[in-house]
Amino acid sequence: MSKNDEIKKLRERIEELEFIKDFQQDIIADFENSTGKHLSKKYLPEALAKQIEKKRRNLSK
C-alpha cells in the first residue's frame, strides 16, 4: 500500500470517528434536555462535557 493510499484511509477513518463522536454527543445532549439531568458533567472528561453542554444549549434554542 502506498503512503498516499494509507493517508487517504486514515483520513476517511478520522472522518468516520468524528461523525460517531458528534452523533453520540447529540444523543447525550438530547437526553439531557429531555430529562433535565446533566450526566456528561458527572461521567465524562471536562472537555467532552463542555462540548455536550454547548450542543445542549443549541438544541434548547
Side-chain angles (χ1 to χ4, degrees), residues 10-25:
L10 290 172
R11 285 185 176 151
E12 288 172 357
R13 183 66 176 147
I14 288 170
E15 285 180 24
E16 179 184 334
L17 292 172
E18 286 177 347
F19 174 81
I20 291 168
K21 177 191 69 113
D22 288 339
F23 180 73
Q24 290 172 336
Q25 288 179 349

Side-chain angles (χ1 to χ4, degrees), residues 9-56:
K9 280 190 166 213
L10 290 172
R11 285 185 176 151
E12 288 172 357
R13 183 66 176 147
I14 288 170
E15 285 180 24
E16 179 184 334
L17 292 172
E18 286 177 347
F19 174 81
I20 291 168
K21 177 191 69 113
D22 288 339
F23 180 73
Q24 290 172 336
Q25 288 179 349
D26 289 344
I27 289 173
I28 293 169
D30 189 45
F31 172 82
E32 289 183 351
N33 275 343
S34 298
T35 63
K37 296 181 181 184
H38 299 285
L39 300 177
S40 60
K41 289 180 183 177
K42 187 173 182 180
Y43 296 109
L44 296 176
E46 185 178 342
L48 286 176
K50 285 180 180 180
Q51 288 178 354
I52 291 170
E53 177 66 21
K54 189 176 185 180
K55 286 186 178 199
R56 190 179 64 76

